[in-house]
Structures are given as C-alpha cells and as structure tokens.
Amino acid sequence: MHAAMNRRALRLLPLLALLVCSLALAADPAKILRVASPDIETLDPQQYSDNPSYEVLVAIFEPLYEWDYLRSPPRLSPVTAAGPLEITDGGKTWTMRVKRGIFFTDDAAFKGKPRELVAADYVYSYKRWLVITDLIVGARPVVDAARADSKFDYDRPIEGLRALDRYTVQIRLSELNYPNIEDMIGFVGAAAREVVEAAGGDIRTRAVGTGPYRLREWKRGSRIMLEANPGYRQVRFPESNDPAHAALMRSMQGKVFPQAGVVEVNIIDEDITRLLQFEQGGLDYIALRAEVATRLLVDNKLKPEYAARGITRHVYPEPYLFSFYFNMADPVLETLVKVVYAGQALPANQLVPPGVGGHDPELPVKPLYDPPAARALLDRFGYKNFDAQGYRKAPDGRALTLAMTLRSGAISREIQTLVKKSMDAVGLRMDFHVTPFQDAIKELEKGKYQMYFGGWGGSPSGYPELLQLYSKQPQRVNVSQFEFGEYDRVAEQFLRSATDAERIVAARKMSELARTYMPELPGIFRLENDFVQPWLLGFRPPVFATYWKYLDIDLARRK
C-alpha cells in the first residue's frame, strides 16, 4: 500500500516540478526582444550549416554545455548537464550526466504526457549529427551500413556512443580530439526521436526542444517569433570575477532568466535597413560591419549624438575567416580592408582568427598581390593570347571567363568592383553570380561554383577554419574539395594537441600549405560592431552563440 502510494507520488513529481516552474516563470510577455537576422534555412539542430539558422535554433534546443557567456577565453559550462565533464582514459573517454527534471515543450508526438530529457536523447541527436565517424569507437560500421542501405539504423548500438543509464552519456574516442568533441557537446542541441519520426525526418519547422524559447511563428523571408517556454527552469545570470564585469554583475544580481517573454527576429538582409530600424528604436541591438558601421562613428568612436542617447558600442574581431575560395589571383587585401570594409577588418595572414585556439599573434602579414608575377605565370602556363577586349584566352584559344559567387547585399557590389579591377590588371575576365545567402550556401555544398568569397568558423577552437581543407571532411565543410596528405597529417596533429602552443605550431604549418597550394586564400578577419540600445540590459557581445535568455529590457526606458 505504502509502496504503491510512493510510486504514485514519484510519478507526480515531474508534473509538480513543471507546474511550479510555470508559476514562477520570470519571463514578461510585455518584454519583446527585437533583433534582426538574414533569412534562415532550418530549425533542425542537427542539419543546419549556416550561422543565422544556428542563432535562432540555439534558443530552442539545448546542448549539454555552452561556451561561458562572460569568460574570455571561453570555457564550457553546464546547461542541461548536471555538472562538469568527466574526462578519463587519457582524454579518450568523456562522461556527462544529464540534469533530472528537464522537459521538452509540448508536441503531439508525446501524446499529452510530459516528456523528460534523458541521456538517450543526446545519443540519438549525436547520431543524427555524426560528422566525426572515424573518431567515435564503433561508428564507422554503422555509418557504412547506412550508406549501403540508404537508411541510418538509430537502434543499432555504437560502442563509443552510449547512454549508460537514464541520465548518463558516455563518448569513447579512437584517438585524442578535444576540439571536435567540445564543439559537439557545446553546440549540438537535443531533439526528441519521436518528434523527428512523426515529422518524417524533417523538423525544419517543427522545433521541439527544452530551451528557454519555443517557436510561435515563422513567416519565411519576413520574421520569426519565439515565445518563452512556460516549462523552462529558471536560471541565474552567469558569474564572473573579472573586474570589467562588476557593473554588469550588479545590474543583473537577483534576477532569474529568461526575462524577455518574446523574441521577434526580423528577417533583414541589408545592413542599411537594419541601421535605419535601429535608429528608429525598432531593434534592441544590431551587429554591423564594414562601411555601414562607420555611419555611427567618428574617428572610430561612437558619434556624440548616439552616445547622448545612451547607445553603446562593442567592437571585436569575429571568430570567422573570410576567404577567397579557388582564387586564381591574389586580391589587393589592403584595399579590401580600407575601402570595401572601411577599416572595420583586419588583413588575414593565416587561417585561424584572433581570439580562438591556434591563432598565432606573432605571424607577420605578407602581402601577396603581385600583378607582374601573376602575368608572368599566366603566360608561362599558356594563357598568353588575348581577345579583342584585351582579356586572356584559354590555352586552346577559347574564351576564358572566371565566375565568382557572392551573397546579395551592398558590400557585394564593392567586392565586385575590387575583384574586377584586380583581375583586369592581369587580363582575366570576371563574371559575378550574386544570389541570396541561403542559395549561395546550397550551391557551395553541391560544388556549383568556381570562386566564392565568404566566411567560415565560429568555434572557440580554430579547427573549423583549418578543417575546411581536411580531405576527410564532407563536401559541405570542405567546399574546395581539397585533398593533400601532408595537410591532413598536420590537421590530425592539431586535433591531438593538448596545449595552445602545440596548436599554434600545427595551425601555422597548415596556413603555409594552404598558401602554397592556394585552394583558399585568406582575405580578412571582420570586425563586428554591436550597437546596443540603452534599455537593453545584460548585453555582452555574442561571440560564439546567441544568449537571448540572459537579456532583459527596461520597459520604462524603452518608452
């Protein structure tokens, strides 16, 4: 009798916890956080390949850990994990425990019952993400079988990826690799298998997670509306002992989050349109780059009229490398920085951006632009005959035109002008294919381009930029389809490196190899300028992810 009553009481505990959490929810529906983004492709936490999609879905789906909001350099801190990582076996075994009492938002697939987040959800989600097949013990046979059968068997066990019990996840590696595993547990959110299967495997618009927000509305090309998850556990503002954060910590003391009841994501591709919206008070913060950012600046400082309104500016190098892929002649990088990006960029002298693991601050900038040398090389390899317009022909006498893909936007026009001028100097005719961001990404992943200018990165480790040229990466990452054994060997050395000093040595060698064979020419590291309205509280530059759950709005000041 007593045992039966105890079992019933235990079954009620999750429901009571959910009820208490809902009653105590801090989010205020009147606090609407208004932000801007390029259009996104998906809200599937394992199928995204672009940063705009990730910035939205990370508010809905939660990884086990997140990169600490305030710490620099960043470190992993628990989100749904019950505590710190347990790394044993010389770095080859990673054990993580899921916090009890976390629930997914409602979905018909759950048949009206609360659905708790468990270790098996991360095992399933990591299988959906599986881009590190040869790293996880036992994963290769399962992936190969899926290729042969054209279907992945999620019930087939993988020795190195297991739920030891209801709340414990364990990953076992075939070799040391800190960056890949840290990124997987720090970026990949948990999806519920029954929701994915109910949606036929396509959950691009069926976003069911455990995060601070849930999807209310998605009008493609217009806006995305998120609303606070009524069952979300309350969290406190991250702690920091850095004196530079003292005022921020005082202003956030005692608050529980999320505070904003709604996040309104306005789809705005053009920076100038974002700026106008911000100036009118329609956006709470904006990220601007290049020339448009300088419209709020004088002598590289915030103009007095904006400072008088209480607007603040945060500027930092983005953790992204912007490169020319398949470039056949070096661009004028100095002009690219000073003219196209209006001084809001740094020349890229290596593959790894500042502020992330593997960046070598001692490496000098070596200009590559040399039209006479380029002309001599073109002559030497048979491109020495010209048409009536003064452009080179192919060695067989046919017309020669190089095509470059660019995402649509005002800055693309500036890049076209610069690239055309540089190519004209060596007698090469250029054609430009300008297309919306998501279309450009799809074309890259399918190899439907000749040359491209764009960015890649976003991790606290420099490995995403470096592994773009690693032959074992899928084509959606290694869009250059570069294959070179020596580069692969050094890339694997980077992944095994336990210290940043060792990573810098390996990264320097990879940058040298890329410079020699030129499948990708590093262009710039962009400077991001974040401009923040005076009523937005708790803001820190979102270097590696969006942290909308930590932001608050002073409604009185906004009015």
Side-chain angles (χ1 to χ4, degrees), residues 251-520:
S251 68
M252 296 291 104
Q253 190 172 11
K255 293 185 179 182
V256 291
F257 296 89
Q259 286 281 321
V262 177
V263 179
E264 179 183 287
V265 184
N266 298 276
I267 305 303
I268 306 174
D269 283 322
E270 291 286 351
D271 284 344
I272 191 64
T273 306
R274 295 188 194 189
L275 174 56
L276 293 173
Q277 285 277 84
F278 178 79
E279 289 182 318
Q280 295 166 9
L283 296 172
D284 296 319
Y285 75 88
I286 51 170
L288 297 178
R289 304 164 186 90
E291 185 275 334
V292 71
T294 65
R295 300 188 182 204
L296 284 76
L297 307 176
V298 59
D299 295 330
N300 208 29
K301 294 181 180 179
L302 193 65
K303 288 181 177 178
E305 56 266 37
Y306 292 106
R309 290 168 53 182
I311 291 171
T312 54
R313 175 202 183 204
H314 304 260
V315 60
Y316 59 94
E318 294 179 314
Y320 292 89
L321 167 67
F322 278 75
S323 300
F324 291 92
Y325 296 82
F326 278 156
N327 209 335
M328 297 181 66
D330 302 328
V332 188
L333 296 183
E334 183 179 2
T335 306
L336 184 68
V337 170
K338 290 184 177 179
V339 178
V340 177
Y341 281 87
Q344 301 300 304
L346 304 172
N349 59 342
Q350 56 191 292
L351 296 174
V352 181
V356 301
H359 178 78
D360 185 355
E362 305 300 323
L363 201 63
V365 177
K366 299 177 181 178
L368 295 177
Y369 184 66
D370 189 347
R375 287 193 290 266
L377 283 171
L378 287 165
D379 289 344
R380 177 182 173 186
F381 286 96
Y383 297 87
K384 55 186 177 181
N385 295 317
F386 294 81
D387 61 20
Q389 288 77 41
Y391 289 108
R392 294 176 185 269
K393 297 180 181 180
D396 61 5
R398 289 184 297 177
L400 175 65
T401 300
L402 302 178
M404 173 174 281
T405 298
L406 296 169
R407 58 166 290 187
S408 54
I411 199 151
S412 292
R413 292 188 287 273
E414 300 287 347
I415 294 172
Q416 288 178 60
T417 300
L418 174 62
V419 172
K420 185 180 186 306
K421 180 179 178 181
S422 299
M423 292 301 197
D424 281 350
V426 295
L428 291 172
R429 179 186 283 107
M430 286 297 303
D431 184 30
F432 297 95
H433 172 53
V434 181
T435 188
F437 177 69
Q438 290 298 338
D439 291 341
I441 294 297
K442 291 174 184 175
E443 291 172 12
L444 282 178
E445 293 177 353
K446 295 177 181 177
K448 295 182 177 180
Y449 77 104
Q450 283 187 336
M451 301 169 63
Y452 173 71
F453 179 75
W456 186 265
S459 168
S461 167
Y463 95 91
E465 292 87 351
L466 295 167
L467 266 62
Q468 282 187 100
L469 302 178
Y470 184 47
S471 68
K472 296 180 183 179
Q473 288 287 351
Q475 187 171 324
R476 71 183 182 88
V477 176
N478 183 2
V479 296
S480 314
Q481 301 181 59
F482 182 63
E483 295 184 26
F484 187 58
E486 176 64 8
Y487 188 94
D488 288 353
R489 186 189 68 77
V490 184
E492 289 159 6
Q493 177 185 328
F494 178 91
L495 295 172
R496 291 192 299 268
S497 298
T499 67
D500 197 52
E502 292 172 330
R503 294 189 186 107
I504 288 174
V505 171
R508 184 187 301 128
K509 180 62 175 176
M510 282 186 276
S511 290
E512 291 172 357
L513 290 169
R515 190 184 185 102
T516 299
Y517 291 91
M518 204 56 73
E520 172 187 349

Side-chain angles (χ1 to χ4, degrees), residues 109-128:
F110 303 143
K111 300 178 180 178
K113 298 178 181 179
R115 170 63 159 80
E116 188 180 22
L117 175 71
V118 295
D121 294 316
Y122 282 106
V123 172
Y124 170 71
S125 298
Y126 295 157
K127 286 180 177 179
R128 290 190 79 227

Side-chain angles (χ1 to χ4, degrees), residues 505-545:
V505 171
R508 184 187 301 128
K509 180 62 175 176
M510 282 186 276
S511 290
E512 291 172 357
L513 290 169
R515 190 184 185 102
T516 299
Y517 291 91
M518 204 56 73
E520 172 187 349
L521 175 62
I524 58 167
F525 303 125
R526 295 191 311 190
L527 294 178
E528 179 169 314
N529 288 265
D530 292 345
F531 298 97
V532 184
Q533 300 283 11
W535 54 76
L536 185 63
L537 311 176
F539 182 89
R540 287 284 297 164
V543 180
F544 298 110

